[in-house]
Amino acid sequence: MEKKYTDFMDEISSDELYEGLLAYGLFAEKLPPLFTSVSFFHYCKTVSAPFAAVWNDYITFRVMRNISIPRLMGIPNPFKYQELCSLLRDNWNELRTHFHAQTDGQSYRVSRIHIRKKHNEKRIFEMNYSNWRTDGNPELDLLMHDQRTSRFIAQADISTCFPSIYTHSIPWALVGKKRAKKTSRDDSCWYNKIDQACSAMRNGETHGLLIGPHTSNLLSEIILTVVDKKLYDKGYRYTRNIDDYDCYVGSHDEAQRFLQDLEQALREFDLPLNHRKTKIIELPIGIEKNWKHQLSDLPKIGTSGMVEYPQVNTFIDTALSLATETGDFAIINYAIKKLKGAQLSDNGKKLAAKRFMHMAALYPYLLHLMEEYVFTPYEVNTSDIKSLSEIIYYDAVKLNNYESLCYAIYFAIRFDFTLEKFENDYHNALDYVIKSGDCLLLTTTWVYFMKQNHWNRRASRVKPLHEAAKNLKNTDMDRYWLFCYEALSQGNLSDRWKAMKKAGVSFIRKEIIDGTTTANTDIE
């Protein structure tokens, strides 16, 4: 039986919410899995006084989407992020009451992607869920509902959803716009504190939530569940995935009315509808996208009881052909993840690894899938990972693709090899990294050199990065805090950064740190 929205919320205690958001929700999943805030979470439990109440800027980075358009994401100042997480924890009962009020009368769960407690995990949010036992498939029921037959689907989404969210609209959603405006200057109100923490995390800006931190999903749900209730109470039946809507209606006119009512409901929170992506589709069509149907029965199992080389090849060819025909390269993501769950023969594994690695070289947005879905399950040789990384590095430098560069360097760190193109001209390579002004590239490069075993070589190569970190600490600490904090010793840091460094906190995964000499290293 499908669980209700608030069943998921009620399963999470306030302390679990705090830990899930702070320890596992600071860094976006699209980043190389080099970073963690678990150590910071444990440190926060030892600090009795609150952190300084100031505005802070944030780290920005770009990730390539499967539509070949970059998305700007953010990593907030950790102290400001902790403040927001603690406010959400301390007011979790009020927030759950809000979600109950907005969703309890609904016969199915409109919102499909939201925080939830996960089995044997402390992380409470991810973008994709696939447990049909708890999530169900309401689309089937919506084809025929309330004694009506659905003849059309109206599709829509919010234009740049998170960046468009007005932080003052969070209190509007929680207590109503009239009360929120009447008490807007009352800093003791819990909902105003959340509003203020959101804007303080963006240097005082009131427009926009950062894309990346898991708190942004919870905050957007506060608003969008109110919109859901308005539309549901008008009789519309639809599903929502973050900000993507699929509404099942009986006529073309009703589809147009839904789009108009959706736009009006969003406008109450100053959110714009993306008219370029609105469309009305006549039924019947496949409940899932047609390409999923074409891939659902693939790959075929061979006579050996395993998926053999030819079947793997056919599956990948089919996925690639569908992606090319439709222009929807999310199909490749789906194929990579689906094939991991199949039992492949040794030759099938080799083929899958080579073809997916080739695709990653062509389509860098696939790089974040490589370690979990290709390198590890197919036991890819380090030499092959190195070859891929060298290609990625070469292409990324030509295109100034800092995201891909970070992955090439991360793979070298993770699988313990050197990048020849980096090593052969490291003076120019270091100069390129420093001039890039990209915080994550600077940090990843620093970890790469700190992993090198030869002390003299390591010291000479880290020194320029160390000098860059000292300069940035004095001029732009907020937008480079991760690099400055990790690269500098406590003697070069001050105030709360110095105290945290003295306590041994790092935002680099421990298994990575164990291979470096990060603790209080000061290379003059």
PDB file of all heavy atoms in Angstrom, residues 369-388:
ATOM      1  N   LEU A 369      28.428   9.066 -12.650  1.00  0.00           N
ATOM      2  CA  LEU A 369      27.931   7.694 -12.524  1.00  0.00           C
ATOM      3  C   LEU A 369      29.045   6.651 -12.595  1.00  0.00           C
ATOM      4  O   LEU A 369      28.826   5.490 -12.251  1.00  0.00           O
ATOM      5  CB  LEU A 369      26.912   7.397 -13.630  1.00  0.00           C
ATOM      6  CG  LEU A 369      25.648   8.265 -13.689  1.00  0.00           C
ATOM      7  CD1 LEU A 369      24.849   7.918 -14.936  1.00  0.00           C
ATOM      8  CD2 LEU A 369      24.809   8.081 -12.441  1.00  0.00           C
ATOM      9  N   MET A 370      30.212   7.037 -13.057  1.00  0.00           N
ATOM     10  CA  MET A 370      31.244   6.065 -13.409  1.00  0.00           C
ATOM     11  C   MET A 370      31.708   5.202 -12.239  1.00  0.00           C
ATOM     12  O   MET A 370      31.787   3.975 -12.350  1.00  0.00           O
ATOM     13  CB  MET A 370      32.442   6.769 -14.054  1.00  0.00           C
ATOM     14  CG  MET A 370      32.182   7.306 -15.451  1.00  0.00           C
ATOM     15  SD  MET A 370      31.764   6.016 -16.665  1.00  0.00           S
ATOM     16  CE  MET A 370      29.991   6.265 -16.810  1.00  0.00           C
ATOM     17  N   GLU A 371      32.034   5.812 -11.120  1.00  0.00           N
ATOM     18  CA  GLU A 371      32.608   5.026 -10.021  1.00  0.00           C
ATOM     19  C   GLU A 371      31.623   3.992  -9.491  1.00  0.00           C
ATOM     20  O   GLU A 371      31.966   2.811  -9.357  1.00  0.00           O
ATOM     21  CB  GLU A 371      33.062   5.937  -8.882  1.00  0.00           C
ATOM     22  CG  GLU A 371      33.717   5.177  -7.749  1.00  0.00           C
ATOM     23  CD  GLU A 371      34.245   6.078  -6.649  1.00  0.00           C
ATOM     24  OE1 GLU A 371      34.149   7.312  -6.764  1.00  0.00           O
ATOM     25  OE2 GLU A 371      34.760   5.541  -5.640  1.00  0.00           O
ATOM     26  N   GLU A 372      30.405   4.417  -9.203  1.00  0.00           N
ATOM     27  CA  GLU A 372      29.422   3.522  -8.585  1.00  0.00           C
ATOM     28  C   GLU A 372      28.833   2.519  -9.574  1.00  0.00           C
ATOM     29  O   GLU A 372      28.619   1.346  -9.221  1.00  0.00           O
ATOM     30  CB  GLU A 372      28.295   4.336  -7.959  1.00  0.00           C
ATOM     31  CG  GLU A 372      27.224   3.482  -7.291  1.00  0.00           C
ATOM     32  CD  GLU A 372      26.102   4.291  -6.667  1.00  0.00           C
ATOM     33  OE1 GLU A 372      26.183   5.548  -6.677  1.00  0.00           O
ATOM     34  OE2 GLU A 372      25.137   3.673  -6.165  1.00  0.00           O
ATOM     35  N   TYR A 373      28.589   2.946 -10.814  1.00  0.00           N
ATOM     36  CA  TYR A 373      27.833   2.108 -11.745  1.00  0.00           C
ATOM     37  C   TYR A 373      28.688   1.438 -12.822  1.00  0.00           C
ATOM     38  O   TYR A 373      28.189   0.581 -13.547  1.00  0.00           O
ATOM     39  CB  TYR A 373      26.731   2.936 -12.413  1.00  0.00           C
ATOM     40  CG  TYR A 373      25.655   3.362 -11.454  1.00  0.00           C
ATOM     41  CD1 TYR A 373      25.689   4.618 -10.857  1.00  0.00           C
ATOM     42  CD2 TYR A 373      24.621   2.500 -11.121  1.00  0.00           C
ATOM     43  CE1 TYR A 373      24.707   5.010  -9.962  1.00  0.00           C
ATOM     44  CE2 TYR A 373      23.637   2.879 -10.218  1.00  0.00           C
ATOM     45  CZ  TYR A 373      23.685   4.135  -9.650  1.00  0.00           C
ATOM     46  OH  TYR A 373      22.714   4.511  -8.756  1.00  0.00           O
ATOM     47  N   VAL A 374      29.957   1.816 -12.926  1.00  0.00           N
ATOM     48  CA  VAL A 374      30.804   1.216 -13.956  1.00  0.00           C
ATOM     49  C   VAL A 374      32.108   0.684 -13.369  1.00  0.00           C
ATOM     50  O   VAL A 374      32.375  -0.529 -13.437  1.00  0.00           O
ATOM     51  CB  VAL A 374      31.098   2.235 -15.090  1.00  0.00           C
ATOM     52  CG1 VAL A 374      32.032   1.620 -16.139  1.00  0.00           C
ATOM     53  CG2 VAL A 374      29.800   2.690 -15.753  1.00  0.00           C
ATOM     54  N   PHE A 375      32.932   1.535 -12.786  1.00  0.00           N
ATOM     55  CA  PHE A 375      34.241   1.094 -12.310  1.00  0.00           C
ATOM     56  C   PHE A 375      34.137  -0.041 -11.298  1.00  0.00           C
ATOM     57  O   PHE A 375      34.816  -1.060 -11.415  1.00  0.00           O
ATOM     58  CB  PHE A 375      35.006   2.253 -11.668  1.00  0.00           C
ATOM     59  CG  PHE A 375      35.307   3.400 -12.578  1.00  0.00           C
ATOM     60  CD1 PHE A 375      35.632   4.643 -12.077  1.00  0.00           C
ATOM     61  CD2 PHE A 375      35.267   3.243 -13.967  1.00  0.00           C
ATOM     62  CE1 PHE A 375      35.918   5.703 -12.915  1.00  0.00           C
ATOM     63  CE2 PHE A 375      35.547   4.300 -14.810  1.00  0.00           C
ATOM     64  CZ  PHE A 375      35.872   5.546 -14.281  1.00  0.00           C
ATOM     65  N   THR A 376      33.283   0.143 -10.295  1.00  0.00           N
ATOM     66  CA  THR A 376      33.195  -0.843  -9.209  1.00  0.00           C
ATOM     67  C   THR A 376      32.485  -2.128  -9.630  1.00  0.00           C
ATOM     68  O   THR A 376      33.051  -3.218  -9.478  1.00  0.00           O
ATOM     69  CB  THR A 376      32.511  -0.225  -7.978  1.00  0.00           C
ATOM     70  OG1 THR A 376      33.273   0.906  -7.539  1.00  0.00           O
ATOM     71  CG2 THR A 376      32.423  -1.238  -6.839  1.00  0.00           C
ATOM     72  N   PRO A 377      31.258  -2.084 -10.188  1.00  0.00           N
ATOM     73  CA  PRO A 377      30.571  -3.351 -10.515  1.00  0.00           C
ATOM     74  C   PRO A 377      31.265  -4.149 -11.617  1.00  0.00           C
ATOM     75  O   PRO A 377      31.189  -5.380 -11.632  1.00  0.00           O
ATOM     76  CB  PRO A 377      29.180  -2.908 -10.938  1.00  0.00           C
ATOM     77  CG  PRO A 377      29.322  -1.493 -11.343  1.00  0.00           C
ATOM     78  CD  PRO A 377      30.388  -0.922 -10.461  1.00  0.00           C
ATOM     79  N   TYR A 378      31.957  -3.475 -12.539  1.00  0.00           N
ATOM     80  CA  TYR A 378      32.587  -4.185 -13.646  1.00  0.00           C
ATOM     81  C   TYR A 378      34.083  -4.401 -13.426  1.00  0.00           C
ATOM     82  O   TYR A 378      34.776  -4.865 -14.328  1.00  0.00           O
ATOM     83  CB  TYR A 378      32.362  -3.433 -14.966  1.00  0.00           C
ATOM     84  CG  TYR A 378      30.895  -3.205 -15.267  1.00  0.00           C
ATOM     85  CD1 TYR A 378      30.458  -2.034 -15.877  1.00  0.00           C
ATOM     86  CD2 TYR A 378      29.929  -4.158 -14.943  1.00  0.00           C
ATOM     87  CE1 TYR A 378      29.116  -1.821 -16.156  1.00  0.00           C
ATOM     88  CE2 TYR A 378      28.593  -3.950 -15.208  1.00  0.00           C
ATOM     89  CZ  TYR A 378      28.187  -2.781 -15.808  1.00  0.00           C
ATOM     90  OH  TYR A 378      26.852  -2.579 -16.078  1.00  0.00           O
ATOM     91  N   GLU A 379      34.541  -4.045 -12.219  1.00  0.00           N
ATOM     92  CA  GLU A 379      35.934  -4.286 -11.809  1.00  0.00           C
ATOM     93  C   GLU A 379      36.914  -3.779 -12.872  1.00  0.00           C
ATOM     94  O   GLU A 379      37.787  -4.498 -13.354  1.00  0.00           O
ATOM     95  CB  GLU A 379      36.154  -5.781 -11.551  1.00  0.00           C
ATOM     96  CG  GLU A 379      35.246  -6.315 -10.460  1.00  0.00           C
ATOM     97  CD  GLU A 379      35.313  -7.824 -10.315  1.00  0.00           C
ATOM     98  OE1 GLU A 379      35.558  -8.505 -11.339  1.00  0.00           O
ATOM     99  OE2 GLU A 379      35.140  -8.314  -9.196  1.00  0.00           O
ATOM    100  N   VAL A 380      36.743  -2.526 -13.230  1.00  0.00           N
ATOM    101  CA  VAL A 380      37.559  -1.917 -14.273  1.00  0.00           C
ATOM    102  C   VAL A 380      39.000  -1.760 -13.797  1.00  0.00           C
ATOM    103  O   VAL A 380      39.241  -1.321 -12.667  1.00  0.00           O
ATOM    104  CB  VAL A 380      36.977  -0.547 -14.675  1.00  0.00           C
ATOM    105  CG1 VAL A 380      37.862   0.137 -15.715  1.00  0.00           C
ATOM    106  CG2 VAL A 380      35.556  -0.709 -15.200  1.00  0.00           C
ATOM    107  N   ASN A 381      39.958  -2.109 -14.646  1.00  0.00           N
ATOM    108  CA  ASN A 381      41.373  -1.969 -14.311  1.00  0.00           C
ATOM    109  C   ASN A 381      41.739  -0.501 -14.114  1.00  0.00           C
ATOM    110  O   ASN A 381      41.239   0.379 -14.820  1.00  0.00           O
ATOM    111  CB  ASN A 381      42.256  -2.550 -15.425  1.00  0.00           C
ATOM    112  CG  ASN A 381      42.140  -4.050 -15.519  1.00  0.00           C
ATOM    113  OD1 ASN A 381      41.906  -4.726 -14.518  1.00  0.00           O
ATOM    114  ND2 ASN A 381      42.310  -4.588 -16.723  1.00  0.00           N
ATOM    115  N   THR A 382      42.642  -0.273 -13.168  1.00  0.00           N
ATOM    116  CA  THR A 382      43.085   1.089 -12.902  1.00  0.00           C
ATOM    117  C   THR A 382      43.685   1.733 -14.147  1.00  0.00           C
ATOM    118  O   THR A 382      43.508   2.933 -14.392  1.00  0.00           O
ATOM    119  CB  THR A 382      44.124   1.098 -11.764  1.00  0.00           C
ATOM    120  OG1 THR A 382      43.524   0.549 -10.579  1.00  0.00           O
ATOM    121  CG2 THR A 382      44.602   2.509 -11.462  1.00  0.00           C
ATOM    122  N   SER A 383      44.377   0.937 -14.951  1.00  0.00           N
ATOM    123  CA  SER A 383      44.983   1.486 -16.168  1.00  0.00           C
ATOM    124  C   SER A 383      43.924   2.035 -17.114  1.00  0.00           C
ATOM    125  O   SER A 383      44.145   3.052 -17.797  1.00  0.00           O
ATOM    126  CB  SER A 383      45.819   0.412 -16.875  1.00  0.00           C
ATOM    127  OG  SER A 383      45.017  -0.700 -17.239  1.00  0.00           O
ATOM    128  N   ASP A 384      42.758   1.392 -17.177  1.00  0.00           N
ATOM    129  CA  ASP A 384      41.680   1.882 -18.041  1.00  0.00           C
ATOM    130  C   ASP A 384      41.053   3.159 -17.474  1.00  0.00           C
ATOM    131  O   ASP A 384      40.680   4.068 -18.230  1.00  0.00           O
ATOM    132  CB  ASP A 384      40.612   0.810 -18.217  1.00  0.00           C
ATOM    133  CG  ASP A 384      41.098  -0.379 -19.044  1.00  0.00           C
ATOM    134  OD1 ASP A 384      41.988  -0.176 -19.888  1.00  0.00           O
ATOM    135  OD2 ASP A 384      40.610  -1.495 -18.822  1.00  0.00           O
ATOM    136  N   ILE A 385      40.931   3.211 -16.162  1.00  0.00           N
ATOM    137  CA  ILE A 385      40.405   4.428 -15.518  1.00  0.00           C
ATOM    138  C   ILE A 385      41.378   5.580 -15.751  1.00  0.00           C
ATOM    139  O   ILE A 385      40.965   6.719 -16.020  1.00  0.00           O
ATOM    140  CB  ILE A 385      40.179   4.201 -14.012  1.00  0.00           C
ATOM    141  CG1 ILE A 385      39.187   3.058 -13.782  1.00  0.00           C
ATOM    142  CG2 ILE A 385      39.686   5.481 -13.350  1.00  0.00           C
ATOM    143  CD1 ILE A 385      39.027   2.665 -12.323  1.00  0.00           C
ATOM    144  N   LYS A 386      42.676   5.288 -15.675  1.00  0.00           N
ATOM    145  CA  LYS A 386      43.695   6.301 -15.924  1.00  0.00           C
ATOM    146  C   LYS A 386      43.601   6.818 -17.360  1.00  0.00           C
ATOM    147  O   LYS A 386      43.664   8.035 -17.604  1.00  0.00           O
ATOM    148  CB  LYS A 386      45.078   5.718 -15.655  1.00  0.00           C
ATOM    149  CG  LYS A 386      46.251   6.643 -15.963  1.00  0.00           C
ATOM    150  CD  LYS A 386      47.570   5.951 -15.639  1.00  0.00           C
ATOM    151  CE  LYS A 386      48.762   6.725 -16.170  1.00  0.00           C
ATOM    152  NZ  LYS A 386      48.958   7.995 -15.456  1.00  0.00           N
ATOM    153  N   SER A 387      43.435   5.909 -18.314  1.00  0.00           N
ATOM    154  CA  SER A 387      43.327   6.316 -19.720  1.00  0.00           C
ATOM    155  C   SER A 387      42.131   7.235 -19.928  1.00  0.00           C
ATOM    156  O   SER A 387      42.231   8.255 -20.634  1.00  0.00           O
ATOM    157  CB  SER A 387      43.211   5.077 -20.623  1.00  0.00           C
ATOM    158  OG  SER A 387      44.381   4.298 -20.559  1.00  0.00           O
ATOM    159  N   LEU A 388      40.993   6.861 -19.337  1.00  0.00           N
ATOM    160  CA  LEU A 388      39.809   7.710 -19.441  1.00  0.00           C
ATOM    161  C   LEU A 388      40.072   9.080 -18.825  1.00  0.00           C
ATOM    162  O   LEU A 388      39.716  10.119 -19.397  1.00  0.00           O
ATOM    163  CB  LEU A 388      38.611   7.047 -18.749  1.00  0.00           C
ATOM    164  CG  LEU A 388      37.340   7.903 -18.631  1.00  0.00           C
ATOM    165  CD1 LEU A 388      36.775   8.225 -20.006  1.00  0.00           C
ATOM    166  CD2 LEU A 388      36.294   7.206 -17.770  1.00  0.00           C
TER     167      LEU A 388
END
